[in-house]
Amino acid sequence: PVSSIGEQEAVKKITSLDLDAEICGLARAVKKDIDVAIDCGVDRIHTFIATSSIHMKHKLKMTPDKVIKRAVRAVSYAREFVDDVEFSCEDASRSDPEFLYEVIQLAITSGATTINIPDTVGYRLPSEIASMVEQMHHFIQNRAIISLHNHNDLGLGVANTLAGISAG
């Protein structure tokens, strides 16, 4: 909803329709984005921040510690307003696994109910996505729902999605 006034108006209209649906607002791990989504009346917040070293360095210009603090703050803040918070580790498929697990652990502890694992640049093969999902299931141990966000840059988006579904 934060992307434009038109998007905010559209989301407000959708939330006012009393649909039998859970309306989710996507928000960067930034207070303003979350505030705008909440002001639009969403039932759910999906917040995200990049966790790969290349994105942290070149896109965010943030240290891993600052990324962790921002993620925790965003999830905790969103949770003050909604019971259902999804957290995405943008570019998870290229993130250092130890760092990825640290961020995910803290997001769950802060109130995330769903953890999204994006293949942001469509970089991984189906077998790699399946392995990531299996490892994530072992790590999360039913403390949150796992979701995927696969891109089709290399033509593997559907195959990666099916591999993720097959892996759980």
Side-chain angles (χ1 to χ4, degrees):
V2 79
S3 64
S4 72
I5 298 297
E7 288 296 317
Q8 291 171 37
E9 291 170 356
V11 173
K12 285 179 182 178
K13 184 168 186 154
I14 292 167
T15 60
S16 73
L17 295 175
D18 196 32
L19 300 171
D20 185 21
E22 189 173 321
I23 310 303
C24 181
L26 184 64
R28 294 169 297 181
V30 176
K31 183 180 183 294
K32 177 186 174 187
D33 287 26
I34 295 167
D35 286 341
V36 169
I38 296 303
D39 287 345
C40 289
V42 299
D43 307 301
R44 180 175 206 244
I45 297 291
H46 181 164
T47 188
F48 66 95
I49 193 165
T51 55
S52 68
S53 59
I54 193 167
H55 276 209
M56 287 188 287
K57 181 178 180 181
H58 298 289
K59 178 182 174 183
L60 299 176
K61 297 177 179 21
M62 293 174 70
T63 64
D65 285 343
K66 286 186 179 180
V67 166
I68 288 172
K69 287 177 185 169
R70 174 94 49 98
V72 166
R73 201 168 33 231
V75 171
S76 298
Y77 184 64
R79 196 57 198 262
E80 291 178 25
F81 301 96
V82 296
D83 292 330
D84 194 0
V85 176
E86 182 165 355
F87 175 72
S88 285
C89 305
E90 183 184 5
D91 206 22
S93 63
R94 296 191 300 172
S95 298
D96 172 70
E98 286 184 31
F99 181 69
L100 186 65
Y101 289 148
E102 181 180 1
V103 173
I104 288 169
Q105 174 62 42
L106 291 168
I108 292 170
T109 302
S110 300
T113 53
T114 299
I115 298 296
N116 182 261
I117 309 300
D119 185 25
T120 301
V121 295
Y123 177 78
R124 294 293 176 193
L125 296 172
S127 60
E128 294 172 310
I129 294 295
S131 179
M132 283 184 73
V133 170
E134 289 168 358
Q135 291 170 17
M136 200 57 62
H137 269 295
H138 179 71
F139 177 72
I140 289 178
Q141 298 181 344
N142 297 320
R143 294 176 291 146
I145 295 166
I146 297 172
S147 73
L148 292 176
H149 180 95
N150 292 311
H151 284 233
N152 200 42
D153 298 50
L154 301 178
L156 295 171
V158 172
N160 284 345
T161 300
L162 294 173
I165 291 168
S166 293

